[in-house]
């Protein structure tokens, strides 16, 4: 009788534990991170009775979480990518809309400016056309400034996001380390896994992966070591490593990530970080920095080209033209570690030579050297750094002042800040130099068929630029200048005098003359205005391979391409993440219908076990009564 009673009792207790587990599942059906639990039953060892082994009942060996560890790892990786792509997509998309917008982008103001130049070319003496041009120039400069400001605002948002993300990461790693200690302690003392604590830890790791991207390694004592995707430890056992931010030595407003240690901060490479923080850093390096450089190159190229061409003409006052725009200068940032007093003065030689890659100038105590700020690769450096012989790197001239100490270094950005510096300096519309300083005319008595082409200015600073010049042909193959000399004439070859050049073609007759004279005040000549209007399609940038129109198009398409790629990748990752979550829910999630069915099953089993105990008790009572009678 005792065997039947013991067997029934073990069944009763086991089914009671099973129903308690089911009720706990139902209670936590909507609890985030909760994994469905299941009682694991095992038959007790049978007892030998002479005729064979007789079962002795059932034991509850453990209550296990229904978790697919492979899916858990995939969800962590997916959460990391979701965080990264969400950050990248959000900021890249906002910039793309700003850069491509008809009222905020650079394409329309640039087009309007050159349309206004064309209008001046059509009516060089019109003050209204000239005033409209200055208005278009102001709008263009303001748009450059605005776009630069927008990029700086996004950069500031990135920095704020990184700082906030670090605080969240430190909070999560501390909680994970605390749970590691609790899990290890409870597992050691009971020999059983503390399921609810394991669920909490998994949920925290998932949140952490979304923030910074992590990989995990399980320990024998139940603890979980957590690392960044670059392999740096964030949690080891019950110890959490403190994440912090460190200021960039050249741009203190910018921060990078580092781990604190006894020996100081250990800088974490940006490419070793994923998750939301990694996405923010990616926005900085793949969107903000390149866009600043490209936008600045276009601004500096525009200012340099327009100013240079305007100086090659004369205005309505009959004076040589001046600057239309302020000329942006390459930005210089001294390292916070510098100990010397050296300062750098920068300037741009020409728009075509201006590069977009930032570089570091470093002094070793004897010599200066240049290296790419991103890759660290050596960059060609010429000159001696003096006013007479400045350093020249990536189209930037650098003059060193003061005294540098060994180890001092400077970050130089050829174009990154230029869009914020450009401004309209011309206030008088009459100062626009639409006319050429000189004009050429054939004598009416000429009998040959030679004709002069367009005069071009080769040196606007030549003191004799506007001096009268008479070209007279002494034969079909020779000519004199102002009655002096005998120069060989070749049809179509340029004749260069006093800072101007002209090509005469055809066959001249002896005595044919061409007179070059100055254009004076209120000239209706539009030669220089035509050249100004044609600058938009002239290959001015990148060594003479890219026009301003192409540069603006590339800026808009670049940020648009990054945004569209990020959006596509985010949509694809969202679909994958949803699928993984669904798969994990199939294993770990609570299905109320299934739990209800299990509850009925174990309730019936519990009732059957109770009946066994009742039968055993009645049989035992009958036996006792029989003995006493």
């Amino acid at each position: 009788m005792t065997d039947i009673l013991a067997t029934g009792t073990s069944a009763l207790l086991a089914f009671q534990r099973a129903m308690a587990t089911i009720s706990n599942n139902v209670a936590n059906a909507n609890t985030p991170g909760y994994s469905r639990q299941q009682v694991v039953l095992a038959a007790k060892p049978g007892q030998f009775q002479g005729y064979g082994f007789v079962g002795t009942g059932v034991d509850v060996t453990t209550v296990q979480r229904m978790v697919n560890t492979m899916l858990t790892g995939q969800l962590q990786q997916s959460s990391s990518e979701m965080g990264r792509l969400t950050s990248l997509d959000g900021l890249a998309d906002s910039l793309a809309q700003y850069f491509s917008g008809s009222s905020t982008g650079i394409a329309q103001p640039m087009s309007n400016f050159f349309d206004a130049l064309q209008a001046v070319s059509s009516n060089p003496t019109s003050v209204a056309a000239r005033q409209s041009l200055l208005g278009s120039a102001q709008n263009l400069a303001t748009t450059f400034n605005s776009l630069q400001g927008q990029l700086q605002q996004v950069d500031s948002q990135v920095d704020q996001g990184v700082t906030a993300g670090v605080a969240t990461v430190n909070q999560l790693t501390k909680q994970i380390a605390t749970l590691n200690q609790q899990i290890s302690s409870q597992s050691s003392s009971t020999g059983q896994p503390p399921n609810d604590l394991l669920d909490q830890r998994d949920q925290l790791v998932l949140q952490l992966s979304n923030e910074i991207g992590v990989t995990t390694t399980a320990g024998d004592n139940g603890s979980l070591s957590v690392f960044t995707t670059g392999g740096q430890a964030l949690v080891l056992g019950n110890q959490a490593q403190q994440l912090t931010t460190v200021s960039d030595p050249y741009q203190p407003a910018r921060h990078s990530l580092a781990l604190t240690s006894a020996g100081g901060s250990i800088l974490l490479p940006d490419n070793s970080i994923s998750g939301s923080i990694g996405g923010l850093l990616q926005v900085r390096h793949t969107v903000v920095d390149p866009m600043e450089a490209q936008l600045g190159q276009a601004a500096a190229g525009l200012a340099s080209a327009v100013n240079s061409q305007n100086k090659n003409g004369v205005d309505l006052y009959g004076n040589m033209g001046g600057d239309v725009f302020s000329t942006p200068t390459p930005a210089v940032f001294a390292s916070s570690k510098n100990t010397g007093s050296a300062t750098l003065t920068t300037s741009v030689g020409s728009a075509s030579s201006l590069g977009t890659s930032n570089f570091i100038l470093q002094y070793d105590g004897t010599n200066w050297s240049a290296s790419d700020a991103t890759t660290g690769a050596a960059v060609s450096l010429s000159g001696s750094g003096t006013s007479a012989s400045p350093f020249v790197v990536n189209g930037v001239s650098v003059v060193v002042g003061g005294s540098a100490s060994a180890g001092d270094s400077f970050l130089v950005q050829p174009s990154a800040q230029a869009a914020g510096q450009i401004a309209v300096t011309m206030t008088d519309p009459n100062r626009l130099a639409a006319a050429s300083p000189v004009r050429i005319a054939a004598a009416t008595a000429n009998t040959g068929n030679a004709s002069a082409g367009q005069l071009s200015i080769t040196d606007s600073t030549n003191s004799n630029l506007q001096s009268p010049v008479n070209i007279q042909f002494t034969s079909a193959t020779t000519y004199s200048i102002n009655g002096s000399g005998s120069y060989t004439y070749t049809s179509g070859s340029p004749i260069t005098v006093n800072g101007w050049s002209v090509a005469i073609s055809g066959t001249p007759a002896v005595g044919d003359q061409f007179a070059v004279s100055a254009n004076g005040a209120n000239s209706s000549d539009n030669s220089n205005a035509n050249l100004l209007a044609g600058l938009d399609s002239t290959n001015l940038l990148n060594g003479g391979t890219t026009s301003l129109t192409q540069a603006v198009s590339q800026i808009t398409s670049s940020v648009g391409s990054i945004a569209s790629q990020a959006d596509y990748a985010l949509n694809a990752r969202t679909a994958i993440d949803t699928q993984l979550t669904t798969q994990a829910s199939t294993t770990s999630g609570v299905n109320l219908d299934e739990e209800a069915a299990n509850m009925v099953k174990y309730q019936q089993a519990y009732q059957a076990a109770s009946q066994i105990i009742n039968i055993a008790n009645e049989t035992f009572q009958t036996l006792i009564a029989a003995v006493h009678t």
Side-chain angles (χ1 to χ4, degrees):
M1 292 301 102
T2 56
D3 292 344
I4 298 174
L5 188 61
T7 299
T9 301
S10 71
L12 193 69
L13 292 173
F15 301 143
Q16 183 183 29
R17 299 293 182 271
M19 287 189 291
T21 301
I22 292 171
S23 65
N24 186 53
N25 287 340
V26 172
N28 288 282
N30 295 312
T31 301
Y34 178 80
S35 299
R36 180 169 61 92
Q37 298 176 11
Q38 185 179 66
V39 169
V40 179
L41 303 178
K44 288 185 175 183
Q47 292 182 350
F48 184 69
Q49 300 292 345
Y51 50 81
F53 284 90
V54 177
T56 58
V58 64
D59 274 332
V60 176
T61 60
T62 189
V63 177
Q64 68 177 10
R65 294 189 306 153
M66 304 304 294
V67 174
N68 185 321
T69 55
M70 182 179 71
L71 278 176
T72 299
Q74 290 177 338
L75 274 172
Q76 289 175 8
Q77 295 176 6
S78 183
S79 180
S80 170
E81 275 296 278
M82 284 292 293
R84 182 184 70 84
L85 291 171
T86 299
S87 292
L88 177 60
D89 178 64
L91 291 178
D93 185 62
S94 66
L95 279 176
Q97 292 184 28
Y98 202 88
F99 270 73
S100 61
S102 59
S103 60
T104 55
I106 195 66
Q108 192 60 52
M110 182 75 80
S111 177
N112 292 343
F113 173 72
F114 282 102
D115 287 346
L117 275 172
Q118 191 63 53
V120 171
S121 175
S122 299
N123 193 355
T125 59
S126 170
V127 176
R130 289 165 172 267
Q131 191 64 59
S132 177
L133 171 65
L134 289 186
S136 296
Q138 183 60 58
N139 184 45
L140 178 57
T142 300
T143 302
F144 271 118
N145 300 160
S146 177
L147 288 173
Q148 173 71 20
Q150 187 69 17
L151 288 168
Q152 290 177 340
Q153 181 179 344
V154 170
D155 192 45
S156 178
Q157 290 176 345
V158 166
D159 206 68
Q160 293 171 9
V162 169
T163 301
V166 165
T168 301
V169 167
N170 287 334
Q171 181 182 19
L172 292 171
T173 54
K174 184 178 180 181
Q175 291 175 319
I176 292 171
T178 299
L179 284 172
N180 271 345
Q181 185 174 20
Q182 295 174 353
I183 290 169
S184 177
S185 176
Q186 292 190 22
S187 296
S188 176
S189 62
T190 64
Q192 296 292 338
N195 294 324
D196 295 327
L197 295 181
L198 291 172
D199 281 345
Q200 292 178 36
R201 187 177 67 183
D202 284 352
Q203 187 70 5
L204 291 175
V205 170
L206 197 64
Q207 294 174 25
L208 181 63
S209 189
N210 184 265
E211 286 291 331
I212 196 171
V214 298
T215 59
T216 57
T217 302
D220 294 336
N221 61 352
S223 65
L224 197 69
S225 296
V226 184
F227 305 88
T228 68
T229 53
Q232 294 82 12
L234 294 173
V235 179
L236 293 174
N238 61 358
Q239 297 295 319
Q241 306 298 310
Q242 187 78 8
L243 195 66
T244 187
T245 58
V246 292
S247 295
D248 185 281
Y250 301 104
Q251 297 171 284
R254 281 191 167 191
H255 292 86
S256 298
L257 298 186
L259 283 173
T260 56
S261 66
S265 297
I266 302 173
L267 190 65
L268 302 183
D270 289 349
N271 59 9
S272 70
I273 304 300
S274 186
S276 179
I277 296 177
L280 291 172
L281 295 174
Q282 188 176 356
V283 168
R284 171 176 290 169
H285 296 306
T286 64
V287 183
V288 174
D289 288 350
M291 288 302 101
E292 273 193 335
Q294 292 178 43
L295 187 69
Q297 185 189 43
L302 171 77
S304 176
V306 170
N307 289 347
S308 177
Q309 190 60 56
N310 199 60
K311 290 176 181 178
N312 283 348
V314 292
D315 59 24
L316 284 182
Y317 300 117
N319 300 322
M320 295 298 294
D323 287 343
V324 177
F325 297 100
S326 60
T327 303
T329 56
V332 178
F333 301 91
S335 172
S336 59
K337 300 177 182 178
N338 288 359
T339 57
S341 61
T343 58
L344 303 187
T345 302
T346 60
S347 60
V348 177
S350 68
S352 64
S353 62
L354 182 64
T356 57
S357 298
N358 300 338
F359 59 89
I360 303 291
L361 275 180
Q362 186 164 15
Y363 185 63
D364 63 6
T366 304
N367 298 308
W368 287 88
S369 61
S371 60
D372 187 278
T374 302
T375 65
V379 177
S380 176
L381 174 68
S382 62
S384 59
T386 64
S387 298
S389 176
F391 290 132
V392 178
V393 189
N394 285 352
V396 178
S397 295
V398 182
V399 176
V400 180
S403 179
S405 298
D408 285 359
S409 61
F410 297 83
L411 170 67
V412 180
Q413 296 179 329
S415 61
Q417 305 296 319
Q421 298 177 17
I422 189 172
V424 177
T425 57
M426 182 177 286
T427 56
D428 183 354
N430 293 332
R431 290 285 292 135
L432 185 71
S436 172
V438 289
R439 62 181 182 271
I440 187 169
T444 56
N446 286 358
T447 57
N449 65 3
S451 61
Q454 179 68 47
L455 271 168
S456 62
I457 306 304
T458 59
D459 181 9
S460 61
T461 63
N462 191 299
S463 59
N464 295 317
L465 177 65
Q466 292 182 288
S467 298
V469 171
N470 184 62
I471 302 171
Q472 184 172 10
F473 286 91
T474 53
S475 73
T477 58
T478 59
Y479 64 91
S480 64
I481 300 293
N482 290 338
S484 300
S486 180
Y487 306 97
T488 301
Y489 167 72
T490 302
S491 178
S493 295
I495 297 173
T496 302
V497 182
N498 295 345
W500 51 259
S501 180
V502 66
I504 296 178
S505 303
T507 304
V510 176
D512 283 357
Q513 299 180 45
F514 290 85
V516 176
S517 59
N519 272 320
N522 298 310
S523 173
S524 60
D525 179 70
N526 67 350
S527 300
N528 204 52
N530 281 335
L531 295 174
L532 282 166
L535 289 176
D536 63 334
S537 57
T538 304
N539 288 338
L540 302 171
L541 309 177
N542 300 320
T545 62
T546 307
S547 69
L548 288 171
T549 299
Q550 290 171 330
V552 168
S553 177
Q554 289 172 5
I555 291 170
T556 305
S557 62
S558 292
V559 67
S561 175
I562 293 172
S564 62
Q565 289 176 16
D567 186 62
Y568 176 81
L570 178 60
N571 289 336
R573 174 51 59 181
T574 300
I576 294 173
D577 192 73
T578 300
Q579 183 180 13
L580 289 172
T581 302
T582 301
Q583 291 176 352
S585 178
T586 301
T587 302
S588 304
V590 176
N591 185 314
L592 294 178
D593 291 337
E594 182 180 352
E595 297 302 326
N598 287 336
M599 180 64 80
V600 171
K601 179 180 70 174
Y602 284 114
Q603 181 185 19
Q604 291 175 344
Y606 184 88
Q607 291 171 346
S610 299
Q611 189 63 27
I612 290 173
I613 293 174
N614 287 334
I615 292 172
N617 183 54
E618 291 175 359
T619 303
F620 186 69
Q621 293 300 326
T622 300
L623 180 60
I624 291 176
V627 170
H628 282 83
T629 57

